[in-house]
Amino acid sequence: GLGMQIGYETVRANLITKVEALKGKNADLDAAIDNFLATKNNTKANDAPAKALVAALEADGSAEAAEILKDKQYLAKKSFWIFGGDGWAYDIGYGGLDHVLASGHDVNVMVFDTEMYSNTGGQASKASNIGEVCQFAAAGKEISKKSLAEIAMSYGYVYVAQVAMGANANQCLKAFQEAAAYDGPSIIICYAPCINHGIKMPFNQAEQKKAVAAGYWNLFRFNPDLAKAGKNPFTLDSKAPSADYVQFIEGETRYSALKRSFPGKAEQLFSIAAENSIEKYNKLAALVDFYAPKGE
């Protein structure tokens, strides 16, 4: 995926150089070129100016214009996306994902986090069979889930969002719009409850809402463009947990199975997890102040 994006960026950069060389021929073409160049890095804003530039190049009729028009499909700024699940993002493909984000190229990554793979806590190991997956490694796996979002934010130049469509559709859509408009790598991590958690598809979005209310899943966005404009790049879209954390997790098969098999251990782990959810939210709330521009 990254190779395709690099190829597209290379062809487009060469075209833009050729477009810039055409300036000065006539006022109409110059106006079209200026409008195109002013929006060249904005996916949404660049579409109309790119079409207007194509029309101006066709009207120009020169050999130089014809050379650019051969690859006119590369002129408009494209939004390039890679989609994957948590098994790829957190575990077997993490090295590749990290390479994409660290590259600095304008690639958007969407992760559907079902929490069903080893590094998200759903398996005892990569070799675990599906029965163990569904029962959430019933002995009670005590390994913390790593935070892809915090890892990505540490680069400073990656757009990052953690979303849940069922909990806040507006925040989710805003994250997609901001990621597409951002001129650089982005990653959006979307909570996606699995049917193997005992969540039937018609109730998937309702489960997401419960997860956010309980503090199990937090919503936030990190936009480096805001920092460049002297604004706070970190937005915490979640409110403080308002629902019973333990009651929420006991409603999912993976946790209820653990409680049936090992009630004492389950009670201990659930209590710790509930405390950790408060700490996690407070940590995110502190990031709002941490990233605030000096003087605010």
Side-chain angles (χ1 to χ4, degrees):
L2 179 59
M4 293 175 62
Q5 174 65 2
I6 293 174
Y8 160 74
E9 289 178 357
T10 301
V11 173
R12 188 167 187 263
N14 289 335
L15 281 180
I16 290 174
T17 298
K18 293 177 182 179
V19 167
E20 291 172 329
L22 281 179
K23 284 201 66 175
K25 294 191 67 176
N26 65 69
D28 289 341
L29 181 56
D30 281 358
I33 291 174
D34 288 339
N35 288 335
F36 170 78
L37 294 177
T39 61
K40 66 179 182 179
N41 292 326
N42 189 310
T43 304
K44 185 176 181 180
N46 188 237
D47 188 57
K51 291 177 181 176
L53 176 60
V54 169
L57 290 170
E58 290 173 343
D60 180 72
S62 66
E64 294 84 357
E67 184 67 21
I68 295 171
L69 288 170
K70 288 180 181 178
D71 293 313
K72 62 182 179 181
Q73 70 271 25
Y74 291 94
L75 285 172
K77 175 70 173 176
K78 300 291 193 303
S79 183
F80 190 87
W81 290 83
I82 298 173
F83 296 87
D86 53 284
W88 162 74
Y90 288 85
D91 203 316
I92 55 176
Y94 174 73
L97 170 62
D98 182 64
H99 175 67
V100 169
L101 297 179
S103 73
H105 287 278
D106 190 9
V107 178
N108 305 296
V109 179
M110 174 69 178
V111 177
F112 296 95
D113 192 349
T114 63
E115 299 190 314
M116 288 297 287
Y117 217 76
S118 57
N119 276 341
T120 58
Q123 289 183 219
S125 73
K126 294 178 185 177
S128 299
N129 61 47
I130 192 65
E132 289 174 328
V133 176
C134 296
Q135 298 307 313
F136 193 62
K141 183 182 177 187
E142 298 182 56
I143 297 178
S144 297
K145 175 181 177 181
K146 63 186 176 187
S147 173
L148 281 181
E150 292 182 66
I151 293 171
M153 282 193 292
S154 71
Y155 282 110
Y157 55 82
V158 178
Y159 177 91
V160 183
Q162 196 161 283
V163 306
M165 175 66 80
N168 191 330
N170 288 335
Q171 184 259 359
C172 185
L173 293 174
K174 188 177 293 185
F176 273 95
Q177 291 170 345
E178 291 173 347
Y182 180 63
D183 185 25
S186 69
I187 181 169
I188 297 178
I189 306 159
C190 182
Y191 184 49
C194 181
I195 58 173
N196 285 329
H197 296 168
I199 311 303
K200 295 182 179 180
M201 287 301 294
F203 305 108
N204 188 292
Q205 292 196 355
E207 185 70 6
Q208 294 176 34
K209 189 171 185 178
K210 293 177 183 177
V212 172
Y216 182 89
W217 186 264
N218 301 113
L219 310 178
F220 53 85
R221 289 168 290 133
F222 178 79
N223 189 347
D225 275 346
L226 293 178
K228 296 174 186 176
K231 300 178 181 179
N232 195 327
F234 185 79
T235 303
L236 178 57
D237 296 302
S238 289
K239 295 181 180 179
S242 59
D244 188 293
Y245 184 93
V246 175
Q247 184 178 40
F248 164 72
I249 62 175
E250 286 182 343
E252 294 195 353
T253 302
R254 50 188 175 155
Y255 297 115
S256 60
L258 175 60
K259 186 175 181 179
R260 287 194 301 272
S261 301
F262 303 94
K265 182 155 190 162
E267 184 177 353
Q268 176 195 21
L269 293 176
F270 292 177
S271 177
I272 293 172
E275 292 174 3
N276 288 345
S277 70
I278 301 297
E279 292 177 6
K280 182 174 63 174
Y281 179 83
N282 290 337
K283 179 181 177 182
L284 292 172
L287 288 180
V288 177
D289 293 330
F290 175 80
Y291 283 110
K294 293 179 180 179
E296 286 193 4

